[in-house]
Amino acid sequence: MNNDAHQEDQEVGKATREEVRREARKEARTVDVTVVGAGPVGLLLAAELALAGATVHVLERRTEPDTALKAQGINMPTAEALDRRGLLPAAEAVQRETLKRVGPFGPAADGRGAPGAGQRAPWSRFTGHFAGMVLDPDLVDWSDPDLAAHTAAGGARMVPQRELEALLAEHAARLGVTVRRGVEVTALEDTGDGVVVGTSAGTVRTGWLVGCDGGHSAVRRLAGIGFPGTDPEIVGYQAVADIADPETLTDGWTWSPEGVYRYGPQPGRVATVEFGVTPADRSAPVSLDEVQGSLRRVSGTDVTLTALRAVPTRWSDHTRQAAAYRSGRVLLAGDAAHVHPPFGGQGLNLGAGDAMNLGWKLGAVLAGWAPEGLLDTYDTERRPLGAWVLDWTRAQIGVLRGDAKSAALRGIVADLLSTRDGTTYAVKKISGVDQRVDLSGGLPGGPPCAPSGDHPLVGRLVPDLWLADASRLADHGHGGGFLLLDRTRDGAFARTASAWADRVRSVTDDDHATPTGGPVGVPTGVLVRPDGVVAWAFSDDDGAADSSSSSARASSGITGLEAALLRWAGMP
């Protein structure tokens, strides 16, 4: 045998052996997706994947759920995500219990109105704060189109992170998701057709790996994904404690040369921020003496804490965003992809948005009806929102500091926030109701597609859309998938989408119904992605026009719907 033939045989043999190994890896794979981290983001992502038909399990290094004090509420996109999955009643029950503990924030605290009324009462009086400056709900213009379009889930805003995690754990368990606790990820290898994950409990073979394991993410580190950003300059604590002399503290937020502290709204709840200080060991447990020392330094009092009634937390203002949300078959979500100061609980909500966006896209790729390039839109859509949140929290640190320049700036911002326009602007930003995703451009590896269109709803979160039977469009999305609202007289849009019936649920409605208005009034047709983002919308504004022009408009709407379906829901 000559050398060329021998070399050729070797190459064939090598290829054959590699194929055998690849097939063996496929056979050994136990799940489609392994999610690392059983916090709210990991649990929500796992549930979305399960709804999409994927097999998924969750690995969590903690042996028990985290009971530390964290975010005390959720924003409107997170509340609406729960609503679309049928979890709104459970979330509203949590809010009612929370209000019992901390007291109502004013009238209409449950944020609910008469079902089917087409318009609900204003949100809970919980509006949030900017750098410790509490936003007055009486100054908010609740008739603002963005706010008025999102009211149905207003009674589920005060859902603390611990209770949210428990709610999502039950939801994921109902969908068959397994959570393996006490398992730490120690190594990973992306083999191109899967990921081999080394853990403290042995080797796991999985199709895809998603790190939802926090700011110190082992998945991000092992995948070699950079985490650029800014270093910490402050340290903060939050705790609920028994206080021997609470009268020494002032209710609300109070500034001093050393920092800022907040007392309330519930008895014993304290939070501190110290300037120019960074924690020596951020991984060490937070002690009573540590919290008391910080509170004494910032308040300038000899206040005495006698016991901690909840696990306290320590945080800083280090602010970072992953260089990439995806590397091959490894993806990041939540704090693994971005960290920042916790003002307003933005991290929890940002992570929930990541989970909703990634869940259906990865599920679609696994189901085979979407190209892998769809996953690239996860980074392009979520990264700008992450960058905005990082800057929003950085700005608050700049206003919060105790130096004279920051104090002067804080006075100006306080004046702006004492106006109707200023407060409404801040509430819209904090609540997330004005979020918009850029849907321009095609999908890498996908078919050519028409532009998304210029309808004002495209790229926005779907507003409350009431139907003639007193239900809402969101009520029809509990099983995941796309939703199509068709309010044409002949059901033309639903017929168009019938070829995608395995992925798109069509809801027809009387076109004379008067559902809740929004920034654009009542659309004739709306296609909503599983993450709540409007992919296509059509409004036949001139219903009294002649039949030929009406027919032309309907034809244009059908063409746009077909393009949106091909782009986001794959080939029929």
Side-chain angles (χ1 to χ4, degrees):
M1 181 182 293
N2 60 39
N3 287 338
D4 290 342
H6 179 68
Q7 183 176 358
E8 184 177 342
D9 283 348
Q10 283 186 321
E11 290 176 353
V12 170
K14 181 179 179 181
T16 302
R17 289 192 298 273
E18 179 56 36
E19 181 65 25
V20 169
R21 284 195 292 268
R22 186 159 51 245
E23 291 303 314
R25 286 197 295 267
K26 289 180 180 178
E27 292 175 5
R29 183 183 305 159
T30 57
V31 291
D32 293 326
V33 185
T34 295
V35 175
V36 181
V41 176
L43 292 169
L44 182 56
L45 173 62
E48 289 298 292
L49 288 165
L51 280 174
T55 57
V56 55
H57 69 183
V58 181
L59 306 181
E60 169 57 54
R61 65 178 180 83
R62 292 187 177 91
T63 57
E64 298 293 338
D66 188 4
T67 59
L69 281 173
K70 292 187 178 178
Q72 295 301 297
I74 57 178
N75 69 2
M76 191 58 79
T78 302
E80 290 180 337
L82 299 178
D83 182 16
R84 286 194 303 276
R85 296 301 178 255
L87 301 174
L88 183 60
E92 288 174 330
V94 171
Q95 171 158 310
R96 287 192 293 270
E97 290 301 313
T98 302
L99 289 172
K100 287 180 183 178
R101 294 197 303 268
V102 304
F105 283 75
D110 66 354
R112 297 297 301 269
Q119 182 72 43
R120 292 197 173 186
W123 301 347
S124 161
R125 305 288 279 183
F126 172 64
T127 51
H129 68 90
F130 183 88
M133 291 172 277
V134 178
L135 303 171
D136 184 351
D138 290 331
L139 286 175
V140 178
D141 178 8
W142 296 107
S143 67
D144 180 278
D146 289 328
L147 297 176
H150 300 270
T151 62
R157 294 285 313 286
M158 293 188 65
V159 179
Q161 182 164 333
R162 183 168 57 184
E163 284 81 354
L164 177 64
E165 185 173 320
L167 186 156
L168 291 174
E170 293 178 1
H171 175 54
R174 286 193 296 268
L175 294 170
V177 174
T178 300
V179 178
R180 298 175 57 190
R181 292 193 172 275
V183 179
E184 187 170 358
V185 172
T186 57
L188 67 85
E189 178 190 2
D190 185 340
T191 62
D193 58 357
V195 184
V196 180
V197 187
T199 79
S200 57
T203 300
V204 173
R205 300 181 186 277
T206 186
W208 297 80
L209 179 69
V210 187
C212 302
D213 50 341
H216 299 286
S217 171
V219 172
R220 185 188 64 238
R221 173 176 52 81
L222 292 168
I225 298 174
F227 205 39
T230 54
D231 293 330
E233 299 177 1
I234 65 174
V235 64
Y237 299 90
Q238 59 175 333
V240 177
D242 291 331
I243 305 176
D245 44 0
E247 67 279 359
T248 62
L249 300 176
T250 303
D251 289 342
W253 292 82
T254 304
W255 275 260
S256 77
E258 301 299 324
V260 185
Y261 79 90
R262 183 191 68 184
Y263 179 52
Q266 67 194 93
R269 184 174 179 83
V270 294
T272 67
V273 178
E274 293 187 77
F275 308 128
V277 180
T278 57
D281 183 2
R282 285 183 290 181
S283 62
V286 182
S287 67
L288 184 146
D289 287 343
E290 189 175 358
V291 176
Q292 178 177 270
S294 178
L295 185 57
R296 285 180 172 181
R297 288 189 294 273
V298 172
S299 67
T301 70
D302 291 328
V303 62
T304 299
L305 309 185
T306 58
L308 296 175
R309 289 192 275 117
V311 178
T313 54
R314 178 198 303 112
W315 55 273
S316 72
D317 63 327
H318 72 295
T319 307
R320 302 181 182 279
Q321 187 173 30
Y325 285 15
R326 177 193 175 196
S327 175
R329 285 180 171 255
V330 179
L331 299 111
L332 304 174
D335 287 353
H338 36 69
V339 294
H340 51 81
F343 289 129
Q346 293 287 346
L348 169 61
N349 295 299
L350 185 59
D354 293 345
M356 294 300 296
N357 188 290
L358 176 59
W360 77 267
K361 292 176 179 177
L362 183 51
V365 172
L366 286 164
W369 56 260
E372 193 172 311
L374 178 64
L375 292 176
D376 293 333
T377 67
Y378 168 57
D379 190 300
T380 57
E381 290 182 5
R382 295 303 300 174
R383 176 173 296 279
L385 290 173
W388 175 83
V389 169
L390 264 61
D391 282 343
W392 181 262
T393 55
R394 282 189 182 109
Q396 292 183 73
I397 295 299
V399 171
L400 195 69
R401 290 192 182 100
D403 61 274
K405 293 178 181 178
S406 295
L409 178 60
R410 187 163 60 249
I412 294 172
V413 174
D415 282 345
L416 291 172
L417 294 179
S418 67
T419 67
R420 190 171 181 81
D421 287 346
T423 301
T424 301
Y425 167 84
V427 168
K428 287 170 61 174
K429 291 296 184 183
I430 293 171
S431 68
V433 296
D434 66 346
Q435 287 183 11
R436 188 163 195 164
V437 176
D438 182 4
L439 300 186
S440 63
L443 301 183
C449 62
S452 298
D454 57 0
H455 193 284
L457 274 182
V458 172
R460 301 186 69 132
L461 293 168
V462 61
D464 299 333
L465 294 173
W466 289 90
L467 310 181
D469 62 1
S471 70
R472 291 175 295 114
L473 185 61
D475 297 330
H476 299 269
H478 295 176
F482 289 78
L483 281 176
L484 173 67
L485 174 62
D486 181 355
R487 303 184 72 246
T488 61
R489 295 180 185 273
D490 61 354
F493 296 150
R495 286 198 306 276
T496 300
S498 62
W500 286 267
D502 59 329
R503 287 159 248 167
V504 181
R505 179 171 184 178
S506 295
V507 180
T508 57
D509 189 47
D510 181 354
D511 66 350
H512 293 100
T514 54
T516 298
V520 294
V522 182
T524 309
V526 181
L527 178 66
V528 184
R529 301 190 323 189
D531 57 355
V533 172
V534 175
W536 164 88
F538 175 80
S539 293
D540 191 353
D541 296 321
D542 187 11
D546 62 85
S547 59
S548 61
S549 61
S550 177
S551 176
R553 285 194 304 276
S555 177
S556 172
I558 290 171
T559 300
L561 173 59
E562 287 178 335
L565 287 167
L566 283 169
R567 180 182 185 188
W568 296 111
M571 296 297 293

